[in-house]
Amino acid sequence: MVNLAAAFEKEGISAFRFDFAGNGESEGSFQYGNYRREADDLRAIVEHFHKEKCFIAAIVGHSKGGNAVLLYASNYKDVQTVINISGRFNLERGIEGRLGRDFKEKIKHNGFIDVRNRKGRFEYRVTEESLMDRLTTDTRGSCQSIPNSCRVLTVHGSMDEMVPVEDAMEFAKNVPNHKLQIIEGADHEFTLHQDELSSVVVAFVKAGLGGNYMAMPSQSCKRTSGYIPSRF
C-alpha cells in the first residue's frame, strides 16, 4: 500500500492511508471479524473528506481491507470506484489454518481462542462474537447489492497461497460492474510484482476520472507546493 500510494502521487492524485481501529498505530482492541466495524471506520474517513469538500476518486483495500471497501460500497453507495486487492470471498475458508480444525468446539467450550505465533507468543484473542461476525458476513449479498454505477476492480495474484485465486473469480461473478485482473506469478503481497500492481490500479482509477482529473479536487484538497507524504 505504501508503494501504491506513491504511484498515485506520481500521477498527481493524493492518497490517504490509515489503520483500522485495533490495528497498527490506531487505538482500540483488535477483533478477528469486525468487517462491519471496519466499513464504519472507512465511513468516518470518507465523511471527513466530504466535509473538507474533497473529491474521493476511489477507495482501495488489500486482503481483509478488500472486503471492507466492498462492504462499504454495498452499504453507502457514495463512491464511484472500488479496488479490491486479494480480498477473500469465502470467509469460512482460512479459519482452520489460524484456529485449528476443532475451532468451533474450542470456542464453544471456552468462549475464546488465543492465537499464538510459531514461537508461542500471544498475538490476539478470538471471541465467539468476533468469529460469528466473520461467519455471518454475507459477502455474496454485499457484492450483488453494489450499484452498477460503482466500478469495481479485483486484482489477485495467481500464486496467492493465503487467499486462493478462485475467490477472485467469485467476485467477478457477483459484482455487477466488475473487472478482474489476475497477475501471473504474484503472491498475496505482490512481493515481486509491485510495479505491475500499481500500474493496473492507477490506470483503472484514472480511467474512471477521465482526462480532466487534475482539475476535479476542490481548492482545499490541492497541494500548495510539491508532493505531500502519503501517510497521515
Side-chain angles (χ1 to χ4, degrees), residues 114-157:
D114 286 340
V115 177
R116 301 180 182 276
N117 62 22
R118 294 179 180 179
K119 295 182 178 180
R121 293 178 182 173
F122 174 82
E123 289 192 332
Y124 55 88
R125 173 166 290 183
V126 179
T127 63
E128 185 173 7
E129 180 183 8
S130 64
L131 175 63
M132 291 309 298
D133 180 274
R134 172 167 174 157
L135 292 175
T136 58
T137 297
D138 182 8
T139 307
R140 187 183 306 278
S142 296
C143 287
Q144 292 175 348
S145 66
I146 296 174
N148 194 60
S149 58
C150 179
R151 304 164 61 248
V152 178
L153 169 67
T154 291
V155 189
H156 214 100

Side-chain angles (χ1 to χ4, degrees), residues 1-230:
M1 300 304 282
V2 177
N3 291 338
L4 188 54
F8 276 119
E9 284 192 293
K10 288 180 181 178
E11 294 295 325
I13 302 173
S14 298
F16 182 88
R17 297 183 297 112
F18 71 97
D19 296 320
F20 289 115
N23 291 266
E25 298 175 22
S26 290
E27 297 177 349
S29 58
F30 174 81
Q31 297 292 330
Y32 182 69
N34 258 20
Y35 292 89
R36 297 172 184 86
R37 191 184 77 174
E38 291 183 354
D40 290 340
D41 284 352
L42 181 54
R43 179 62 175 171
I45 301 293
V46 170
E47 287 185 328
H48 167 77
F49 283 110
H50 281 166
K51 288 177 182 177
E52 294 295 318
K53 301 189 184 303
C54 293
F55 174 77
I56 299 176
I59 54 176
V60 185
H62 171 257
S63 196
K64 191 182 179 188
N67 292 83
V69 296
L70 290 167
L71 189 59
Y72 179 93
S74 71
N75 287 344
Y76 296 106
K77 301 176 174 57
D78 61 353
V79 291
Q80 66 173 27
T81 300
V82 173
I83 316 291
N84 161 39
I85 305 173
S86 304
R88 186 185 294 277
F89 187 88
N90 185 351
L91 296 180
E92 294 184 8
R93 267 199 306 231
I95 298 178
E96 288 187 1
R98 287 278 186 177
L99 308 183
R101 291 184 177 179
D102 55 348
F103 68 91
K104 290 184 179 178
E105 291 77 11
K106 281 184 179 179
I107 211 160
K108 276 290 184 184
H109 183 265
N110 300 317
F112 64 89
I113 295 175
D114 286 340
V115 177
R116 301 180 182 276
N117 62 22
R118 294 179 180 179
K119 295 182 178 180
R121 293 178 182 173
F122 174 82
E123 289 192 332
Y124 55 88
R125 173 166 290 183
V126 179
T127 63
E128 185 173 7
E129 180 183 8
S130 64
L131 175 63
M132 291 309 298
D133 180 274
R134 172 167 174 157
L135 292 175
T136 58
T137 297
D138 182 8
T139 307
R140 187 183 306 278
S142 296
C143 287
Q144 292 175 348
S145 66
I146 296 174
N148 194 60
S149 58
C150 179
R151 304 164 61 248
V152 178
L153 169 67
T154 291
V155 189
H156 214 100
S158 66
M159 300 300 289
D160 190 332
E161 295 183 354
M162 185 171 294
V163 179
V165 72
E166 287 77 17
D167 281 41
M169 311 295 185
E170 291 301 315
F171 285 120
K173 293 176 184 177
N174 288 279
V175 177
N177 186 357
H178 186 274
K179 179 180 178 180
L180 175 62
Q181 181 73 49
I182 304 297
I183 296 183
E184 291 299 324
D187 60 14
H188 189 66
E189 303 289 346
F190 297 85
T191 307
L192 302 177
H193 298 78
Q194 293 284 302
D195 290 344
E196 189 173 354
L197 172 65
S198 296
S199 177
V200 168
V201 172
V202 172
F204 188 79
V205 172
K206 287 176 64 177
L209 295 176
N212 298 319
Y213 72 90
M214 290 294 289
M216 296 186 76
S218 67
Q219 290 294 329
S220 63
C221 290
K222 288 183 178 178
R223 301 189 183 96
T224 55
S225 63
Y227 287 120
I228 57 174
S230 59

